[in-house]
Amino acid sequence: MKQITVSAAVIFRTNPATQKKEVFATQRGYGDWKGWWEFPGGKIEEGESAEECIVREIKEELSAQVSAEKIIGVVDYDYPSFHLTMHCILCSIVSGDLRLLEHEAARWLSKDTLRSVQWLPADELILSKIEQILQN
């Protein structure tokens, strides 16, 4: 089975209106999983670390500069045609605004709305960890 290794950005903010902690999610705009939600990111290139990958991918996909703080989890999932290993990395925005260059839509989700979107199966596996962070 084909093996794909990716990095995914887990970006939090405190909503200025509600003072609730939220996480950034994006909706795929292409491919077999079009319309499904995910944490933004992409494939790790040869010789690249998971942290270097996420900094590059967020700049390419969302036109923002992020700092990769730490890996909060690694997810392994078997899709029908490949095995995915996803490094979920806590990131903070260093500069720029998150602008959609490749995704169909984006949302800031709170603990109450986190499961209101249709997550990709691999991303769903990290949601319990995200919920814990959103509680704090």
Side-chain angles (χ1 to χ4, degrees):
M1 183 177 278
K2 184 178 176 181
Q3 167 73 40
I4 297 176
T5 305
V6 301
S7 286
V10 181
I11 303 168
F12 292 100
R13 75 166 188 187
T14 299
N15 182 311
T18 64
Q19 294 304 305
K20 286 187 178 182
K21 192 179 266 190
E22 298 174 324
V23 67
F24 189 71
T26 53
Q27 187 179 35
R28 292 181 70 88
Y30 59 89
D32 294 340
W33 298 90
K34 181 180 177 3
W36 291 62
W37 289 79
E38 65 185 345
F39 295 104
K43 293 178 187 166
I44 299 174
E45 295 178 354
E46 191 172 328
E48 188 177 52
S49 71
E51 293 85 357
E52 290 167 337
C53 170
I54 203 59
V55 169
R56 175 183 54 77
E57 285 286 345
I58 297 305
K59 187 171 184 162
E60 290 174 2
E61 292 182 7
L62 297 168
S63 190
Q65 182 72 34
V66 296
S67 171
E69 307 294 331
K70 66 178 181 177
I71 295 175
I72 61 170
V74 177
V75 170
D76 282 290
Y77 186 82
D78 287 324
Y79 282 95
S81 59
F82 62 94
H83 176 82
L84 180 78
T85 299
M86 180 172 64
H87 297 84
C88 300
I89 303 175
L90 178 65
C91 294
S92 58
I93 299 171
V94 175
S95 65
D97 294 322
L98 298 171
R99 289 193 349 240
L100 298 182
L101 302 177
E102 294 183 13
H103 296 90
E104 196 165 293
R107 288 189 196 159
W108 288 98
L109 301 170
S110 68
K111 184 180 180 292
D112 298 333
T113 59
L114 184 64
R115 295 183 185 266
S116 68
V117 299
Q118 186 177 30
W119 289 98
L120 286 170
D123 292 72
E124 202 168 293
L125 297 177
I126 196 76
L127 293 184
S128 293
K129 179 98 174 195
I130 302 299
E131 284 173 325
Q132 291 174 356
I133 296 169
L134 288 170
Q135 289 183 138
N136 299 332

